[in-house]
Amino acid sequence: MCGIVGYIGPKNAQNILVEGLRKLEYRGYDSAGIAVIQQGKLAVERTKGPLAALEEKLVTHPLTGMIGMGHTRWATHGKPSDENSHPHMDAEHQFAVVHNGIIENYIELKEELLAKGYSFTSETDTEVIAQLLKDMYDGDLVSTVRKVIQRLEGAYALAITSEREPDKLVAVRLASPLIIGLGKEENFIASDIPAILEHTRDVYVLEDGEMAILTPDTVELSTLDGKTIQKEILHVTWDAVTAEKGGYEHFMLKEIHEQPKAIRDTLAGRIKEGLIDLTQDLSFTEADLKKFDRVHFIACGTAYHAGLIGKSVIERLVRIPVEVDVASEYRYRDPIITPSTLVVVVSQSGETADTLAALRAAKKAGAKTLGITNVVGSSVSREADEVLMTWAGPEIAVASTKAYTSQLVAIYLLGLYMARILGTRTEEVLKKSTEALIQLSEQVEGQLIEAKTDAIQSLAKEIAKHEDLFFIGRGLDYAVVMEGSLKLKEISYIHSEAYAAGELKHGTLALIEEGIPVIALATQHAVIEKTISNIIEVKARGAHVLGFGLEGDRELKKSVDRVITIPDTLPLFTPILSVIPLQLLAYYTSVARGINVDKPRNLAKSVTVE
Amino acid sequence: MCGIVGYIGPKNAQNILVEGLRKLEYRGYDSAGIAVIQQGKLAVERTKGPLAALEEKLVTHPLTGMIGMGHTRWATHGKPSDENSHPHMDAEHQFAVVHNGIIENYIELKEELLAKGYSFTSETDTEVIAQLLKDMYDGDLVSTVRKVIQRLEGAYALAITSEREPDKLVAVRLASPLIIGLGKEENFIASDIPAILEHTRDVYVLEDGEMAILTPDTVELSTLDGKTIQKEILHVTWDAVTAEKGGYEHFMLKEIHEQPKAIRDTLAGRIKEGLIDLTQDLSFTEADLKKFDRVHFIACGTAYHAGLIGKSVIERLVRIPVEVDVASEYRYRDPIITPSTLVVVVSQSGETADTLAALRAAKKAGAKTLGITNVVGSSVSREADEVLMTWAGPEIAVASTKAYTSQLVAIYLLGLYMARILGTRTEEVLKKSTEALIQLSEQVEGQLIEAKTDAIQSLAKEIAKHEDLFFIGRGLDYAVVMEGSLKLKEISYIHSEAYAAGELKHGTLALIEEGIPVIALATQHAVIEKTISNIIEVKARGAHVLGFGLEGDRELKKSVDRVITIPDTLPLFTPILSVIPLQLLAYYTSVARGINVDKPRNLAKSVTVE
């Protein structure tokens, strides 16, 4: 989720680039930089830290020139640092690249270039592209870019310039968004509309596999292999605030819709020959893994709910006992930790104070630690012995959505990888699981179509009238309704509570009265019937039951008042699909109640106090 | 909690005894019997099952006579069976005894009698008394009773008759309640007022260490060593319903007040030379215990909350990792069970369907199982490999109180006993802990005095006006507020929810608004400061905070709106003391809201369906 901006025209590029980057600040960043062709030579300023740090540098070292590119970074490969900031150049400073996304085969390419004698100054995958451009330059930038792209695997958007041909900018899109802004005697590149909105409202939206060659007066569109294409100009009518949210009314809704991509990105580069391969991420050996006789998942809030799924995943796939702890409780309960304990901490920001404190306590007590986090360079990513990144991109809304599903993906990856190394599952089963994992992002997409979201919006309007409700589920469904309930609480202020469906009758059933909504999730084949018995119990006391069940399930339908269906997958993976309608339900209920969805009262995005 | 009734007078005893037993039915029973002196000979009818089963027997085998005793049994020593039913007699059927309570040294006495050639027909401790009477009979029943009593250790109430002296009944009280009803040319013995209320309202209430000798016309009161005493006659003004509740407005309040006794009874006979000794209860050897590498606690509702305390107790005292599961979830989550797993199930009734199913699944999977239950002869007590009884007596109110505190006592006993055998605590520490354990019942008593309960009643009146509230706590306090919250939910229908204090800020804080009550429990020295930080967080959002903290704590007082104090004990034992005011709070809130405290809507006492 880096931000890209590019300019070519008659004006001084520096200010346009910096202003453009400022409009992309909501995407989050840890460093920023610009490259300008200054008197025929590439000149770059870049620095770790907020945009203000770059601006400060530019006060004493201004860049002058009418062609340039800027970048705000959200670290993926390599921690936030000056060296890892974009733009990246080849060793001779002739080609500059800004990049959003991931080059999956960069290690291979880097080794190849190192063997040829190239040296690298950063840990990024991006630098490889700049060096390749230099290495493969054939006298024509556009033709060279096409050749280089053939060598790259991954999902990315690029902007490229070179002092060898200081009259153009090249833009390439493969799976990461990129638009071209069309001005008067000037043209723009941007990863997102807000960056250019004050200059033009006419844009080309590049599709995957398309590239653009910009001069001040022309924009040439083509496929990656050089076929010219025609494209309609899109006239943007959004205001600046809407533009930030990619046209969605709220960041939360935008982020819900970003989940297919977040899932894909988190899987990217981690599947080889149909099997999970985390050798690029983790340094665990088979001997290390065999040593573990227990696993602790530690997290807070939504990430804790991901940890609950983690317990099922690890216990079922590799039969090592797992405990899941709320981080603020873990430290003080004098947990039993040995060198054979694997402690997995989960934190989107990687800065959650309670989680960090628990991580440190576990390390001190001799555990092996593994961090699952969304922010490269965060405390968790620095302090854990092993790190498994989620690639959800920055999450702005306080109520977490894409971070949660990405955490689940990371947990599935970990579980399947452990099962592979420990041999607790056959290759056939692992391959089948991996296939199902790959399908998830499309299945999530299928749940986000209008017909589906409309149905949930109509449920939400009913829910919004109530002040109390209950969620019920069994097994993995219980873990998911805990998350669904928290989501609803956070942004609708309805007092909702999640219960293990079988436990309701041991007390809380007293609260069920005429008309109270009960949301029942029943996706786990093995316990659907049992859950239905519990649904009948609450219906008998007058509850209005909204059922969330699998497509094709007939039994649930009969026993509930309304039903929403969820696509089928392996039972272990269902949480990724079943949480989607619950996120949407929370979202639309919040909207119906007129609440500030993205910033609910009393809450902060990243809780850095205990 | 057996029921005793006795009659001596001009009428036919049988019907008076059976009617009296019927009035004691609310005390629960598993068998019943009567003994009558019929034409100079002791005649007994008794049977396992409800009172109706005894009545059926009496239709075909009526007993005729004007002196007799009856008994409904709530099994302690020996399962419910015809043989274990009272009255018990010596081998020659000359002396009959009915008994409520426990004879702690009965095994010793039984061995002595066996050595002398006596044979026994039951597994009860009571039969020992009858045989001793025969063995020690000196020609005078009263003098013999006094001698026998000197041999008995324990807490009990007795009624005794003998065909050798068919003109009297003898009643003895030591720690179990007993009253004498004074009629016209007739007198009565009863364990509780309702049994005799239709015959007389004039009673003597025996105190510990007192006995009574009844003839139709006289009642002689004396101490156990023979000193005559005078006593005021109490004139009972209760109606029949109030009488059943021992003068309390509800069974729940009665049971809350019975906790000191339930705690004492559960400890009784399990402490030897200042150390916990469960050799009479459990057959575990040191080798057995050393084998366990993990413990699972499984239960539902309130008993699940006791299991949460169990995790801390076992992990801290013996450092074996513990998992706690809701029974309805356990079975279906494919738990990792090996022969080294000790599975502890907790169920008051011993018939909770989910718990029982989990017990069976665990056994089948090869675990060693231990049941903690309140009902001898219940399914859990029969099916678990090992049984640790709680001696709370029958619990009538749906909302569990004394069963919970007794379960905690059983868990402490188990933890300390394991620590002793495994040598994970020094004898000095164990003795100190045992002393603290013994003190608990008195400390609970101290919390039930009027000044204390009045303060809570006044809090309850405030609480009763709200529809939502939150409980917070950390560590053991968190486990206790989960129980406090469930109690309040069950009987007040207020939507209350318990949170780990540090977890509130990860979402649920959004529900805190002006005036909402937050009940904070802070008794754990190590985390009081952290809990206070969380209290300040909710107060800043307008919450009205009711603090429950230790006597002498100054910090908590400063940060809350009102404070209730709890006596200090070892941190591990605090839950027994801290739950008391929360039980009272739930009770008085329910009363203030005009709810049927003992039978809240939708709930059953013992949940025998899944």
Side-chain angles (χ1 to χ4, degrees), chain B residues 366-386:
Chain B
K368 184 88 172 173
T369 57
L370 186 155
I372 294 179
T373 177
N374 196 39
V375 181
V376 173
S378 60
S379 301
V380 164
S381 80
R382 281 182 280 111
E383 298 187 27
D385 300 320
E386 305 275 345

Side-chain angles (χ1 to χ4, degrees), chain B residues 98-133:
Chain B
V98 293
H99 163 215
N100 178 9
I102 293 165
I103 308 302
E104 289 170 15
N105 61 332
Y106 86 102
I107 290 185
E108 208 176 299
L109 295 171
K110 193 169 178 173
E111 280 165 4
E112 183 185 315
L113 289 162
L114 284 168
K116 283 191 183 175
Y118 288 89
S119 67
F120 287 77
T121 59
S122 82
E123 305 158 309
T124 66
D125 48 354
T126 311
E127 193 180 357
V128 171
I129 307 173
Q131 304 268 29
L132 270 183
L133 283 167

Side-chain angles (χ1 to χ4, degrees), chain A residues 294-324:
Chain A
R294 84 185 63 126
V295 177
H296 292 175
F297 273 87
I298 310 172
C300 300
T302 289
Y304 170 73
H305 298 152
L308 293 174
I309 307 283
K311 176 176 169 78
S312 287
V313 170
I314 302 298
E315 288 199 345
R316 291 190 190 190
L317 291 178
V318 298
R319 303 305 282 166
I320 299 175
V322 179
E323 287 180 54
V324 193

Side-chain angles (χ1 to χ4, degrees), chain B residues 9 11 30 39 65 91 99 132 168 198 240 318 324 362 369 406 423 455 467 515 550 579:
Chain B
K11 299 175 191 156
D30 47 56
Q39 297 170 324
H99 163 215
L132 270 183
K168 60 176 74 92
E198 67 177 82
V318 298
V324 193
T369 57
S406 304
E467 295 303 327
L550 295 175
V579 79

Side-chain angles (χ1 to χ4, degrees), chain B residues 309-330:
Chain B
I309 306 283
K311 177 176 168 78
S312 287
V313 170
I314 302 297
E315 288 198 345
R316 291 190 190 190
L317 290 178
V318 298
R319 303 306 281 167
I320 300 175
V322 179
E323 286 182 53
V324 193
D325 271 85
V326 159
S328 64
E329 288 289 303
Y330 185 73

